[in-house]
């Protein structure tokens, strides 16, 4: 009997304790809610002041990012964004450094630099990474978006400059909650857009050692590719050049073995000419040649019937071999170029390299993608066929 009474007393006290604990938790939550309301008022006052100062902008989004801060996103009629991070505890404004872990600030900056260089040509990337301008940071559920304004870039891009950083890239650096995608793609300047204007750039008569390598470097810096039509008897002297051309995403085609006019050869001579060229190329790369730029652009039925190659001519000739003048070569492209063109140059002349260095950034800001012949055909939805001649797409 006494044991039952003790159990009853214990149960009563347990019940009283539970009621007390519940009331205590409720009181704490109530105090927190009251504090949140008070904090929200400070943040709202700050937002009101921002909207008054930014009279040319409208508020497009205002949301709580974490328990510590909110983000207000503003936009004007020109499509320019501004964003503000507002501390809900005191209404003060925060900057990007305040929401990145203090010990990871440099790693965050390094990652941003890396991704900018992956996306943009060097002349843009260098300005965004090391120049002065305004950056707007917008936090999304799965990514951070950076918009770049008022940076001095020459030539000046007409497109909006921005960078999308998936949180998978910076998950160890940020100091706020986020969601991770299971799969994501990095920004990549070599991902070509089929809706944009696109041209193929081609170089004949190489390989030519340091000049060819300099052109490869310029193409890579500008997120572009080209096709190099090489002469067979020069290939054996420059295996490392050929490998570097291919390594950076460019393409190699045949320009015959010794630059003869192929239309004047017999069938047997013609077959031997291309067999010799292909053997040298295959010994260096392990691959067969698929494209032929016939010397002088000359093609006849004997060639088309007997060579299992695709013939690539051109529709925009810079005549850089005749006019060894940088400005003439530049003007011959920039004043005539149009979507689908195949452009002819030669990797033999210093003036050609100087023109290309000036030309590639200008083509970029004018909305042109510069690619290899095979990439151009693919972008235009065409399959290159053997025995057929192409001049443009």
């Amino acid at each position: 009997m006494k044991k039952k009474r003790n159990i009853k007393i214990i149960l009563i006290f347990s019940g009283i304790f539970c009621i007390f604990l519940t009331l205590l938790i409720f009181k704490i939550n109530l105090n927190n809610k009251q504090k949140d309301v008070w904090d929200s008022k400070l943040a709202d006052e700050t937002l009101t002041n921002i909207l008054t100062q930014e009279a040319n902008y409208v508020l497009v989004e205002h949301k709580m990012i974490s328990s510590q801060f909110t983000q207000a996103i503003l936009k004007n009629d020109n499509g320019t964004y501004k964003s503000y991070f507002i501390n809900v505890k005191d209404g003060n404004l925060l900057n990007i450094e305040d929401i990145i872990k203090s010990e990871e600030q440099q790693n965050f900056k390094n990652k941003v630099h890396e991704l900018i260089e992956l996306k943009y040509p060097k002349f843009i990337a260098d300005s965004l990474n090391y120049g002065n301008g305004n950056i707007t940071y917008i936090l999304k559920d799965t990514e951070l978006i950076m918009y770049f304004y008022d940076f001095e870039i020459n030539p000046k891009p007409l497109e909006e400059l921005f960078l999308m950083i998936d949180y998978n890239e910076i998950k160890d650096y940020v100091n706020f909650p986020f969601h991770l995608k299971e799969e994501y793609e990095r920004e990549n300047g070599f991902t070509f857009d089929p809706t944009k204007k696109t041209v193929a750039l081609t170089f004949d008569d190489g390989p030519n050692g340091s000049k060819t390598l300099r052109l490869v470097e310029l193409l890579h810096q500008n997120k572009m590719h080209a096709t190099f039509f090489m002469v067979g008897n020069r290939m054996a002297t420059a295996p490392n050049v050929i490998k570097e051309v291919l390594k950076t995403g460019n393409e190699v085609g045949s320009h015959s073995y010794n630059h003869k006019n192929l239309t004047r050869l017999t069938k047997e001579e013609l077959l031997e000419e291309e067999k010799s060229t292909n053997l040298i190329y295959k010994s260096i790369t392990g691959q067969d040649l698929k494209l032929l730029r016939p010397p002088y652009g000359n093609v006849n039925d004997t060639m088309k019937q007997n060579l299992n190659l695709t013939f690539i001519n051109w529709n925009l000739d810079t005549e850089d071999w005749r006019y060894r003048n940088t400005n003439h070569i530049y003007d011959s492209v920039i004043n005539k170029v149009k979507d689908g063109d195949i452009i002819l140059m030669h990797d033999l002349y210093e003036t050609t390299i100087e023109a290309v260095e000036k030309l590639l950034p200008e083509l970029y800001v004018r909305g042109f993608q510069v690619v290899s012949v095979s990439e151009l055909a693919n972008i235009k939805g065409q399959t290159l066929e053997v025995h057929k001649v192409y001049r443009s797409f």
Side-chain angles (χ1 to χ4, degrees):
M1 192 73 178
K2 184 177 180 181
K3 186 177 181 180
K4 287 183 179 181
R5 187 169 63 250
N6 289 339
I7 292 174
K8 187 175 181 179
I9 292 171
I10 291 172
L11 290 173
I12 291 171
F13 276 103
S14 296
I16 293 172
F17 178 77
C18 288
I19 292 171
F20 172 77
L21 185 61
T22 301
L23 290 172
L24 180 62
I25 293 172
F26 177 78
K27 184 177 180 180
I28 291 172
N29 288 337
L30 182 61
N31 288 338
N32 285 338
K33 286 182 179 180
Q34 289 173 339
K35 189 173 184 298
D36 287 344
V37 171
W38 181 79
D39 289 342
S40 294
K41 287 181 179 179
L42 287 178
D44 288 345
E45 288 174 5
T46 300
L47 179 58
T48 299
N49 291 334
I50 290 170
L51 295 175
T52 301
Q53 294 170 7
E54 303 286 3
N56 295 325
Y57 286 78
V58 296
L59 181 67
V60 295
E61 186 176 325
H62 181 216
K63 66 178 181 179
M64 182 78 74
I65 301 297
S66 73
S67 59
Q68 281 77 41
F69 71 96
T70 66
Q71 179 175 40
I73 302 171
L74 285 66
K75 189 177 184 181
N76 66 11
D77 291 339
N78 296 326
T80 300
Y81 288 99
K82 284 190 176 182
S83 70
Y84 293 89
F85 304 125
I86 305 172
N87 189 326
V88 296
K89 295 187 182 301
D90 53 22
N92 289 335
L93 293 178
L94 306 174
N95 56 39
I96 189 65
E97 287 77 17
D98 295 319
I99 61 175
I100 302 297
K101 295 176 183 176
S102 57
E103 70 275 15
E104 301 291 353
Q105 299 281 335
Q106 190 59 51
N107 286 332
F108 175 74
K109 291 179 182 178
N110 292 343
K111 177 60 68 173
V112 170
H113 286 192
E114 174 191 346
L115 296 176
I116 287 174
E117 289 171 358
L118 284 174
K119 179 176 183 178
Y120 284 114
K122 188 175 188 299
F123 76 99
I124 295 178
D126 284 352
S127 295
L128 299 184
N129 278 332
Y130 308 110
N132 295 317
N134 297 313
I135 303 177
T136 293
Y137 299 88
I138 294 182
L139 308 182
K140 297 291 187 180
D141 288 340
T142 59
E143 61 201 7
L144 164 65
I145 305 177
M146 299 173 63
Y147 289 93
F148 303 93
Y149 303 115
D150 305 322
F151 283 82
E152 292 187 8
I153 303 173
N154 186 32
K156 185 177 180 179
L158 300 179
E159 64 178 346
E160 183 177 52
L161 300 178
F162 67 94
L163 183 70
M164 300 179 69
I165 307 177
D166 191 282
Y167 287 133
N168 282 284
E169 295 277 1
I170 55 174
K171 62 181 185 296
D172 296 327
Y173 310 153
V174 300
N175 207 14
F176 54 86
F178 53 84
H179 298 289
L180 292 178
K181 299 176 186 174
E182 290 186 9
E183 296 182 1
Y184 75 100
E185 293 185 3
R186 280 179 150 194
E187 297 271 26
N188 183 357
F190 287 104
T191 301
F192 300 114
D193 183 350
T195 66
K196 294 183 69 173
K197 295 179 292 185
T198 310
V199 297
L201 184 57
T202 65
F203 296 97
D204 286 7
D205 293 355
N208 190 27
S210 60
K211 289 185 174 65
T212 301
L213 290 176
R214 176 60 179 148
L215 289 169
V216 168
E217 180 183 22
L218 289 172
L219 288 163
H220 189 70
Q221 288 176 351
N222 286 279
K223 308 300 183 190
M224 297 174 178
H225 292 150
T227 301
F228 291 78
F229 289 103
M230 298 183 177
V231 179
N233 62 19
R234 305 188 69 158
M235 286 185 182
T237 65
N240 292 335
V241 175
I242 294 172
K243 290 176 182 178
E244 191 63 26
V245 168
L246 297 173
K247 175 184 173 182
T248 48
N250 300 289
E251 181 175 48
V252 173
S254 169
H255 196 38
S256 80
Y257 181 74
N258 54 20
H259 209 276
K260 289 181 179 180
N261 185 339
L262 301 182
T263 61
R264 297 177 180 175
L265 303 183
T266 66
K267 173 184 173 181
E268 290 72 22
E269 291 172 331
L270 185 63
L271 291 173
E272 184 60 31
E273 181 88 6
E274 287 312 312
K275 179 182 177 182
S276 298
T277 305
N278 192 67
L279 283 174
I280 294 171
Y281 181 73
K282 192 166 186 176
S283 70
I284 296 170
T285 67
Q287 304 170 4
D288 291 310
L289 291 162
K290 297 180 180 179
L291 307 180
L292 171 64
R293 164 68 54 78
Y296 317 106
N298 295 338
V299 182
N300 62 12
D301 288 341
T302 302
M303 293 169 62
K304 288 191 278 188
Q305 291 168 5
N306 292 282
L307 295 179
N308 292 320
L309 294 166
T310 301
F311 302 91
I312 305 296
N313 277 338
W314 61 88
N315 70 320
L316 201 168
D317 187 354
T318 63
E319 296 191 296
D320 58 339
W321 60 274
R322 184 195 303 272
Y323 303 100
R324 300 186 191 182
N325 177 282
T326 299
N327 290 332
H328 177 90
I329 299 166
Y330 172 87
D331 290 340
S332 69
V333 176
I334 210 65
N335 294 332
K336 299 177 182 178
V337 65
K338 61 186 182 302
D339 187 29
D341 282 350
I342 298 177
I343 303 168
L344 171 60
M345 291 186 177
H346 299 79
D347 50 337
L348 300 181
Y349 315 114
E350 189 62 35
T351 49
T352 298
I353 295 173
E354 292 170 358
V356 168
E357 186 171 15
K358 180 181 176 183
L359 181 64
L360 297 186
E362 188 63 38
L363 286 172
Y364 184 94
V365 300
R366 294 191 184 200
F368 283 93
Q369 299 174 130
V370 178
V371 299
S372 68
V373 169
S374 294
E375 286 172 326
L376 178 59
N378 183 59
I379 287 169
K380 297 302 180 183
Q382 296 192 38
T383 302
L384 293 174
E385 299 178 24
V386 296
H387 314 300
K388 189 171 180 179
V389 182
Y390 295 87
R391 293 179 177 83
S392 65
F393 292 93

